[in-house]
Amino acid sequence: MTLIKHAALGLLVCILSLLLREAGFRGARLVSLVGTVALMGLAVTGMDGILDALSFDGRLGAGSAELSGILKIVGAGIVFGIITDMARDMGELGVASAVSCVGRVEIFALCMPYVLRLLELAAEYFAV
């Protein structure tokens, strides 16, 4: 569920900043900066429970953990890509960079269990 919250926050910051800038408010860049800092903070503190909404473990049976991981990684890439593109189109390059960075951190966190498992298998293979 953190994926949706982070993406929604990035989109909200973009829209709010765009509306404030169009209305002539001089602090629109400050709103973008605060939003960027908030997104980066959430990326660091919200790493537990990533993408719980896309859990397919109980429905797919054998091999569901790997398929579920692949779907989570692809879904995160798509969602964060869309939000990043929207932020760039709105002229919010700082927010777009923050959303993109958060997406990369989330995808890296999703990949780590598989990378560690692969390294363990390689260590067992060469330990003999």
PDB file of all heavy atoms in Angstrom, residues 2-34:
ATOM      1  N   THR A   2       2.125   1.126   0.387  1.00  0.00           N
ATOM      2  CA  THR A   2       2.989   2.312   0.398  1.00  0.00           C
ATOM      3  C   THR A   2       3.217   2.847  -1.004  1.00  0.00           C
ATOM      4  O   THR A   2       3.405   4.048  -1.178  1.00  0.00           O
ATOM      5  CB  THR A   2       4.347   2.002   1.049  1.00  0.00           C
ATOM      6  OG1 THR A   2       4.986   0.968   0.313  1.00  0.00           O
ATOM      7  CG2 THR A   2       4.187   1.600   2.494  1.00  0.00           C
ATOM      8  N   LEU A   3       3.217   1.967  -1.983  1.00  0.00           N
ATOM      9  CA  LEU A   3       3.399   2.384  -3.371  1.00  0.00           C
ATOM     10  C   LEU A   3       2.345   3.393  -3.771  1.00  0.00           C
ATOM     11  O   LEU A   3       2.651   4.455  -4.308  1.00  0.00           O
ATOM     12  CB  LEU A   3       3.333   1.159  -4.285  1.00  0.00           C
ATOM     13  CG  LEU A   3       3.161   1.415  -5.772  1.00  0.00           C
ATOM     14  CD1 LEU A   3       4.500   1.801  -6.361  1.00  0.00           C
ATOM     15  CD2 LEU A   3       2.621   0.185  -6.438  1.00  0.00           C
ATOM     16  N   ILE A   4       1.114   3.090  -3.476  1.00  0.00           N
ATOM     17  CA  ILE A   4       0.009   3.963  -3.852  1.00  0.00           C
ATOM     18  C   ILE A   4       0.084   5.274  -3.073  1.00  0.00           C
ATOM     19  O   ILE A   4      -0.142   6.348  -3.634  1.00  0.00           O
ATOM     20  CB  ILE A   4      -1.331   3.241  -3.633  1.00  0.00           C
ATOM     21  CG1 ILE A   4      -1.416   2.032  -4.569  1.00  0.00           C
ATOM     22  CG2 ILE A   4      -2.503   4.172  -3.860  1.00  0.00           C
ATOM     23  CD1 ILE A   4      -2.532   1.090  -4.293  1.00  0.00           C
ATOM     24  N   LYS A   5       0.447   5.206  -1.817  1.00  0.00           N
ATOM     25  CA  LYS A   5       0.562   6.417  -1.008  1.00  0.00           C
ATOM     26  C   LYS A   5       1.673   7.331  -1.522  1.00  0.00           C
ATOM     27  O   LYS A   5       1.497   8.540  -1.629  1.00  0.00           O
ATOM     28  CB  LYS A   5       0.818   6.060   0.457  1.00  0.00           C
ATOM     29  CG  LYS A   5      -0.371   5.450   1.151  1.00  0.00           C
ATOM     30  CD  LYS A   5      -0.027   5.099   2.577  1.00  0.00           C
ATOM     31  CE  LYS A   5      -1.174   4.396   3.259  1.00  0.00           C
ATOM     32  NZ  LYS A   5      -0.838   3.985   4.618  1.00  0.00           N
ATOM     33  N   HIS A   6       2.821   6.746  -1.844  1.00  0.00           N
ATOM     34  CA  HIS A   6       3.940   7.551  -2.339  1.00  0.00           C
ATOM     35  C   HIS A   6       3.610   8.166  -3.689  1.00  0.00           C
ATOM     36  O   HIS A   6       3.905   9.344  -3.933  1.00  0.00           O
ATOM     37  CB  HIS A   6       5.200   6.706  -2.456  1.00  0.00           C
ATOM     38  CG  HIS A   6       5.748   6.286  -1.140  1.00  0.00           C
ATOM     39  ND1 HIS A   6       6.630   5.243  -1.031  1.00  0.00           N
ATOM     40  CD2 HIS A   6       5.556   6.730   0.118  1.00  0.00           C
ATOM     41  CE1 HIS A   6       6.962   5.079   0.234  1.00  0.00           C
ATOM     42  NE2 HIS A   6       6.320   5.972   0.954  1.00  0.00           N
ATOM     43  N   ALA A   7       3.041   7.374  -4.575  1.00  0.00           N
ATOM     44  CA  ALA A   7       2.687   7.890  -5.891  1.00  0.00           C
ATOM     45  C   ALA A   7       1.621   8.978  -5.781  1.00  0.00           C
ATOM     46  O   ALA A   7       1.694  10.005  -6.462  1.00  0.00           O
ATOM     47  CB  ALA A   7       2.199   6.751  -6.783  1.00  0.00           C
ATOM     48  N   ALA A   8       0.642   8.767  -4.912  1.00  0.00           N
ATOM     49  CA  ALA A   8      -0.417   9.768  -4.725  1.00  0.00           C
ATOM     50  C   ALA A   8       0.156  11.063  -4.144  1.00  0.00           C
ATOM     51  O   ALA A   8      -0.252  12.154  -4.542  1.00  0.00           O
ATOM     52  CB  ALA A   8      -1.512   9.214  -3.824  1.00  0.00           C
ATOM     53  N   LEU A   9       1.086  10.944  -3.220  1.00  0.00           N
ATOM     54  CA  LEU A   9       1.709  12.139  -2.656  1.00  0.00           C
ATOM     55  C   LEU A   9       2.484  12.903  -3.727  1.00  0.00           C
ATOM     56  O   LEU A   9       2.400  14.127  -3.807  1.00  0.00           O
ATOM     57  CB  LEU A   9       2.635  11.781  -1.493  1.00  0.00           C
ATOM     58  CG  LEU A   9       3.374  12.958  -0.853  1.00  0.00           C
ATOM     59  CD1 LEU A   9       2.391  13.962  -0.256  1.00  0.00           C
ATOM     60  CD2 LEU A   9       4.346  12.472   0.196  1.00  0.00           C
ATOM     61  N   GLY A  10       3.221  12.188  -4.563  1.00  0.00           N
ATOM     62  CA  GLY A  10       3.949  12.840  -5.652  1.00  0.00           C
ATOM     63  C   GLY A  10       3.010  13.552  -6.613  1.00  0.00           C
ATOM     64  O   GLY A  10       3.255  14.688  -7.014  1.00  0.00           O
ATOM     65  N   LEU A  11       1.912  12.903  -6.956  1.00  0.00           N
ATOM     66  CA  LEU A  11       0.930  13.517  -7.844  1.00  0.00           C
ATOM     67  C   LEU A  11       0.265  14.719  -7.183  1.00  0.00           C
ATOM     68  O   LEU A  11       0.068  15.756  -7.820  1.00  0.00           O
ATOM     69  CB  LEU A  11      -0.114  12.478  -8.250  1.00  0.00           C
ATOM     70  CG  LEU A  11      -1.155  12.905  -9.265  1.00  0.00           C
ATOM     71  CD1 LEU A  11      -0.484  13.314 -10.564  1.00  0.00           C
ATOM     72  CD2 LEU A  11      -2.137  11.787  -9.498  1.00  0.00           C
ATOM     73  N   LEU A  12      -0.060  14.611  -5.911  1.00  0.00           N
ATOM     74  CA  LEU A  12      -0.670  15.715  -5.179  1.00  0.00           C
ATOM     75  C   LEU A  12       0.252  16.927  -5.118  1.00  0.00           C
ATOM     76  O   LEU A  12      -0.181  18.067  -5.333  1.00  0.00           O
ATOM     77  CB  LEU A  12      -1.046  15.270  -3.759  1.00  0.00           C
ATOM     78  CG  LEU A  12      -1.653  16.335  -2.861  1.00  0.00           C
ATOM     79  CD1 LEU A  12      -3.040  16.707  -3.377  1.00  0.00           C
ATOM     80  CD2 LEU A  12      -1.725  15.844  -1.438  1.00  0.00           C
ATOM     81  N   VAL A  13       1.523  16.689  -4.859  1.00  0.00           N
ATOM     82  CA  VAL A  13       2.492  17.788  -4.814  1.00  0.00           C
ATOM     83  C   VAL A  13       2.597  18.460  -6.176  1.00  0.00           C
ATOM     84  O   VAL A  13       2.626  19.692  -6.270  1.00  0.00           O
ATOM     85  CB  VAL A  13       3.872  17.279  -4.328  1.00  0.00           C
ATOM     86  CG1 VAL A  13       4.947  18.319  -4.529  1.00  0.00           C
ATOM     87  CG2 VAL A  13       3.800  16.874  -2.866  1.00  0.00           C
ATOM     88  N   CYS A  14       2.618  17.664  -7.234  1.00  0.00           N
ATOM     89  CA  CYS A  14       2.687  18.239  -8.595  1.00  0.00           C
ATOM     90  C   CYS A  14       1.489  19.109  -8.889  1.00  0.00           C
ATOM     91  O   CYS A  14       1.623  20.246  -9.370  1.00  0.00           O
ATOM     92  CB  CYS A  14       2.753  17.121  -9.629  1.00  0.00           C
ATOM     93  SG  CYS A  14       4.332  16.344  -9.750  1.00  0.00           S
ATOM     94  N   ILE A  15       0.311  18.598  -8.627  1.00  0.00           N
ATOM     95  CA  ILE A  15      -0.912  19.338  -8.932  1.00  0.00           C
ATOM     96  C   ILE A  15      -1.002  20.596  -8.082  1.00  0.00           C
ATOM     97  O   ILE A  15      -1.326  21.682  -8.583  1.00  0.00           O
ATOM     98  CB  ILE A  15      -2.141  18.437  -8.750  1.00  0.00           C
ATOM     99  CG1 ILE A  15      -2.148  17.352  -9.822  1.00  0.00           C
ATOM    100  CG2 ILE A  15      -3.427  19.246  -8.802  1.00  0.00           C
ATOM    101  CD1 ILE A  15      -3.193  16.284  -9.624  1.00  0.00           C
ATOM    102  N   LEU A  16      -0.706  20.479  -6.796  1.00  0.00           N
ATOM    103  CA  LEU A  16      -0.764  21.635  -5.910  1.00  0.00           C
ATOM    104  C   LEU A  16       0.232  22.712  -6.338  1.00  0.00           C
ATOM    105  O   LEU A  16      -0.106  23.895  -6.401  1.00  0.00           O
ATOM    106  CB  LEU A  16      -0.497  21.207  -4.464  1.00  0.00           C
ATOM    107  CG  LEU A  16      -0.574  22.288  -3.401  1.00  0.00           C
ATOM    108  CD1 LEU A  16      -1.976  22.897  -3.365  1.00  0.00           C
ATOM    109  CD2 LEU A  16      -0.211  21.726  -2.050  1.00  0.00           C
ATOM    110  N   SER A  17       1.437  22.293  -6.663  1.00  0.00           N
ATOM    111  CA  SER A  17       2.446  23.249  -7.094  1.00  0.00           C
ATOM    112  C   SER A  17       2.044  23.919  -8.408  1.00  0.00           C
ATOM    113  O   SER A  17       2.217  25.132  -8.573  1.00  0.00           O
ATOM    114  CB  SER A  17       3.787  22.544  -7.248  1.00  0.00           C
ATOM    115  OG  SER A  17       4.761  23.440  -7.677  1.00  0.00           O
ATOM    116  N   LEU A  18       1.506  23.146  -9.327  1.00  0.00           N
ATOM    117  CA  LEU A  18       1.061  23.704 -10.605  1.00  0.00           C
ATOM    118  C   LEU A  18      -0.062  24.714 -10.404  1.00  0.00           C
ATOM    119  O   LEU A  18      -0.032  25.814 -10.961  1.00  0.00           O
ATOM    120  CB  LEU A  18       0.599  22.586 -11.534  1.00  0.00           C
ATOM    121  CG  LEU A  18       0.037  23.036 -12.881  1.00  0.00           C
ATOM    122  CD1 LEU A  18       1.150  23.584 -13.751  1.00  0.00           C
ATOM    123  CD2 LEU A  18      -0.678  21.894 -13.560  1.00  0.00           C
ATOM    124  N   LEU A  19      -1.037  24.364  -9.578  1.00  0.00           N
ATOM    125  CA  LEU A  19      -2.144  25.280  -9.317  1.00  0.00           C
ATOM    126  C   LEU A  19      -1.669  26.558  -8.634  1.00  0.00           C
ATOM    127  O   LEU A  19      -2.113  27.665  -8.988  1.00  0.00           O
ATOM    128  CB  LEU A  19      -3.218  24.598  -8.474  1.00  0.00           C
ATOM    129  CG  LEU A  19      -4.022  23.500  -9.171  1.00  0.00           C
ATOM    130  CD1 LEU A  19      -4.952  22.806  -8.178  1.00  0.00           C
ATOM    131  CD2 LEU A  19      -4.803  24.059 -10.342  1.00  0.00           C
ATOM    132  N   LEU A  20      -0.771  26.419  -7.675  1.00  0.00           N
ATOM    133  CA  LEU A  20      -0.250  27.599  -6.983  1.00  0.00           C
ATOM    134  C   LEU A  20       0.568  28.480  -7.926  1.00  0.00           C
ATOM    135  O   LEU A  20       0.468  29.709  -7.879  1.00  0.00           O
ATOM    136  CB  LEU A  20       0.588  27.186  -5.776  1.00  0.00           C
ATOM    137  CG  LEU A  20      -0.184  26.587  -4.603  1.00  0.00           C
ATOM    138  CD1 LEU A  20       0.777  26.069  -3.553  1.00  0.00           C
ATOM    139  CD2 LEU A  20      -1.142  27.596  -4.015  1.00  0.00           C
ATOM    140  N   ARG A  21       1.355  27.857  -8.790  1.00  0.00           N
ATOM    141  CA  ARG A  21       2.155  28.625  -9.741  1.00  0.00           C
ATOM    142  C   ARG A  21       1.262  29.355 -10.749  1.00  0.00           C
ATOM    143  O   ARG A  21       1.492  30.515 -11.068  1.00  0.00           O
ATOM    144  CB  ARG A  21       3.119  27.710 -10.484  1.00  0.00           C
ATOM    145  CG  ARG A  21       4.136  28.476 -11.282  1.00  0.00           C
ATOM    146  CD  ARG A  21       5.231  27.609 -11.899  1.00  0.00           C
ATOM    147  NE  ARG A  21       5.253  26.235 -11.456  1.00  0.00           N
ATOM    148  CZ  ARG A  21       5.109  25.177 -12.267  1.00  0.00           C
ATOM    149  NH1 ARG A  21       4.953  25.344 -13.546  1.00  0.00           N
ATOM    150  NH2 ARG A  21       5.148  23.953 -11.777  1.00  0.00           N
ATOM    151  N   GLU A  22       0.216  28.686 -11.217  1.00  0.00           N
ATOM    152  CA  GLU A  22      -0.709  29.314 -12.165  1.00  0.00           C
ATOM    153  C   GLU A  22      -1.494  30.453 -11.511  1.00  0.00           C
ATOM    154  O   GLU A  22      -1.893  31.397 -12.178  1.00  0.00           O
ATOM    155  CB  GLU A  22      -1.670  28.276 -12.745  1.00  0.00           C
ATOM    156  CG  GLU A  22      -1.015  27.273 -13.652  1.00  0.00           C
ATOM    157  CD  GLU A  22      -0.437  27.889 -14.898  1.00  0.00           C
ATOM    158  OE1 GLU A  22      -1.068  28.793 -15.478  1.00  0.00           O
ATOM    159  OE2 GLU A  22       0.679  27.474 -15.297  1.00  0.00           O
ATOM    160  N   ALA A  23      -1.727  30.347 -10.210  1.00  0.00           N
ATOM    161  CA  ALA A  23      -2.442  31.392  -9.487  1.00  0.00           C
ATOM    162  C   ALA A  23      -1.526  32.568  -9.138  1.00  0.00           C
ATOM    163  O   ALA A  23      -1.989  33.574  -8.613  1.00  0.00           O
ATOM    164  CB  ALA A  23      -3.066  30.827  -8.219  1.00  0.00           C
ATOM    165  N   GLY A  24      -0.233  32.433  -9.407  1.00  0.00           N
ATOM    166  CA  GLY A  24       0.691  33.527  -9.155  1.00  0.00           C
ATOM    167  C   GLY A  24       1.335  33.495  -7.782  1.00  0.00           C
ATOM    168  O   GLY A  24       2.004  34.450  -7.392  1.00  0.00           O
ATOM    169  N   PHE A  25       1.184  32.402  -7.044  1.00  0.00           N
ATOM    170  CA  PHE A  25       1.782  32.293  -5.716  1.00  0.00           C
ATOM    171  C   PHE A  25       3.280  32.083  -5.857  1.00  0.00           C
ATOM    172  O   PHE A  25       3.730  31.197  -6.577  1.00  0.00           O
ATOM    173  CB  PHE A  25       1.132  31.135  -4.960  1.00  0.00           C
ATOM    174  CG  PHE A  25       1.638  30.952  -3.563  1.00  0.00           C
ATOM    175  CD1 PHE A  25       1.445  31.926  -2.603  1.00  0.00           C
ATOM    176  CD2 PHE A  25       2.311  29.790  -3.208  1.00  0.00           C
ATOM    177  CE1 PHE A  25       1.914  31.751  -1.311  1.00  0.00           C
ATOM    178  CE2 PHE A  25       2.773  29.608  -1.918  1.00  0.00           C
ATOM    179  CZ  PHE A  25       2.572  30.595  -0.975  1.00  0.00           C
ATOM    180  N   ARG A  26       4.044  32.899  -5.189  1.00  0.00           N
ATOM    181  CA  ARG A  26       5.499  32.842  -5.326  1.00  0.00           C
ATOM    182  C   ARG A  26       6.123  31.687  -4.554  1.00  0.00           C
ATOM    183  O   ARG A  26       7.287  31.360  -4.761  1.00  0.00           O
ATOM    184  CB  ARG A  26       6.113  34.151  -4.863  1.00  0.00           C
ATOM    185  CG  ARG A  26       5.594  35.325  -5.692  1.00  0.00           C
ATOM    186  CD  ARG A  26       6.271  36.566  -5.316  1.00  0.00           C
ATOM    187  NE  ARG A  26       7.451  36.641  -6.194  1.00  0.00           N
ATOM    188  CZ  ARG A  26       8.284  37.641  -6.202  1.00  0.00           C
ATOM    189  NH1 ARG A  26       8.108  38.641  -5.362  1.00  0.00           N
ATOM    190  NH2 ARG A  26       9.297  37.660  -7.015  1.00  0.00           N
ATOM    191  N   GLY A  27       5.374  31.057  -3.680  1.00  0.00           N
ATOM    192  CA  GLY A  27       5.915  29.959  -2.877  1.00  0.00           C
ATOM    193  C   GLY A  27       5.666  28.589  -3.474  1.00  0.00           C
ATOM    194  O   GLY A  27       5.788  27.578  -2.778  1.00  0.00           O
ATOM    195  N   ALA A  28       5.324  28.529  -4.757  1.00  0.00           N
ATOM    196  CA  ALA A  28       5.043  27.236  -5.392  1.00  0.00           C
ATOM    197  C   ALA A  28       6.276  26.337  -5.390  1.00  0.00           C
ATOM    198  O   ALA A  28       6.167  25.125  -5.210  1.00  0.00           O
ATOM    199  CB  ALA A  28       4.532  27.449  -6.816  1.00  0.00           C
ATOM    200  N   ARG A  29       7.445  26.905  -5.546  1.00  0.00           N
ATOM    201  CA  ARG A  29       8.682  26.104  -5.516  1.00  0.00           C
ATOM    202  C   ARG A  29       8.926  25.535  -4.116  1.00  0.00           C
ATOM    203  O   ARG A  29       9.462  24.441  -3.972  1.00  0.00           O
ATOM    204  CB  ARG A  29       9.878  26.943  -5.938  1.00  0.00           C
ATOM    205  CG  ARG A  29       9.857  27.332  -7.369  1.00  0.00           C
ATOM    206  CD  ARG A  29      10.228  26.156  -8.219  1.00  0.00           C
ATOM    207  NE  ARG A  29      10.134  26.536  -9.614  1.00  0.00           N
ATOM    208  CZ  ARG A  29      10.013  25.672 -10.580  1.00  0.00           C
ATOM    209  NH1 ARG A  29       9.978  24.399 -10.323  1.00  0.00           N
ATOM    210  NH2 ARG A  29       9.926  26.077 -11.816  1.00  0.00           N
ATOM    211  N   LEU A  30       8.534  26.284  -3.097  1.00  0.00           N
ATOM    212  CA  LEU A  30       8.670  25.791  -1.729  1.00  0.00           C
ATOM    213  C   LEU A  30       7.778  24.573  -1.519  1.00  0.00           C
ATOM    214  O   LEU A  30       8.183  23.608  -0.862  1.00  0.00           O
ATOM    215  CB  LEU A  30       8.317  26.892  -0.723  1.00  0.00           C
ATOM    216  CG  LEU A  30       8.411  26.510   0.755  1.00  0.00           C
ATOM    217  CD1 LEU A  30       9.837  26.123   1.118  1.00  0.00           C
ATOM    218  CD2 LEU A  30       7.929  27.653   1.620  1.00  0.00           C
ATOM    219  N   VAL A  31       6.581  24.606  -2.070  1.00  0.00           N
ATOM    220  CA  VAL A  31       5.680  23.446  -1.980  1.00  0.00           C
ATOM    221  C   VAL A  31       6.326  22.239  -2.654  1.00  0.00           C
ATOM    222  O   VAL A  31       6.294  21.127  -2.127  1.00  0.00           O
ATOM    223  CB  VAL A  31       4.306  23.776  -2.607  1.00  0.00           C
ATOM    224  CG1 VAL A  31       3.444  22.536  -2.719  1.00  0.00           C
ATOM    225  CG2 VAL A  31       3.594  24.849  -1.802  1.00  0.00           C
ATOM    226  N   SER A  32       6.947  22.457  -3.817  1.00  0.00           N
ATOM    227  CA  SER A  32       7.647  21.368  -4.506  1.00  0.00           C
ATOM    228  C   SER A  32       8.797  20.823  -3.668  1.00  0.00           C
ATOM    229  O   SER A  32       8.993  19.610  -3.584  1.00  0.00           O
ATOM    230  CB  SER A  32       8.189  21.849  -5.845  1.00  0.00           C
ATOM    231  OG  SER A  32       7.154  22.207  -6.697  1.00  0.00           O
ATOM    232  N   LEU A  33       9.537  21.707  -3.045  1.00  0.00           N
ATOM    233  CA  LEU A  33      10.667  21.292  -2.227  1.00  0.00           C
ATOM    234  C   LEU A  33      10.204  20.489  -1.008  1.00  0.00           C
ATOM    235  O   LEU A  33      10.773  19.442  -0.695  1.00  0.00           O
ATOM    236  CB  LEU A  33      11.470  22.517  -1.779  1.00  0.00           C
ATOM    237  CG  LEU A  33      12.673  22.237  -0.887  1.00  0.00           C
ATOM    238  CD1 LEU A  33      13.715  21.441  -1.649  1.00  0.00           C
ATOM    239  CD2 LEU A  33      13.254  23.533  -0.382  1.00  0.00           C
ATOM    240  N   VAL A  34       9.167  20.967  -0.336  1.00  0.00           N
ATOM    241  CA  VAL A  34       8.640  20.243   0.831  1.00  0.00           C
ATOM    242  C   VAL A  34       8.118  18.875   0.405  1.00  0.00           C
ATOM    243  O   VAL A  34       8.339  17.871   1.080  1.00  0.00           O
ATOM    244  CB  VAL A  34       7.546  21.076   1.539  1.00  0.00           C
ATOM    245  CG1 VAL A  34       6.813  20.264   2.574  1.00  0.00           C
ATOM    246  CG2 VAL A  34       8.162  22.313   2.172  1.00  0.00           C
TER     247      VAL A  34
END
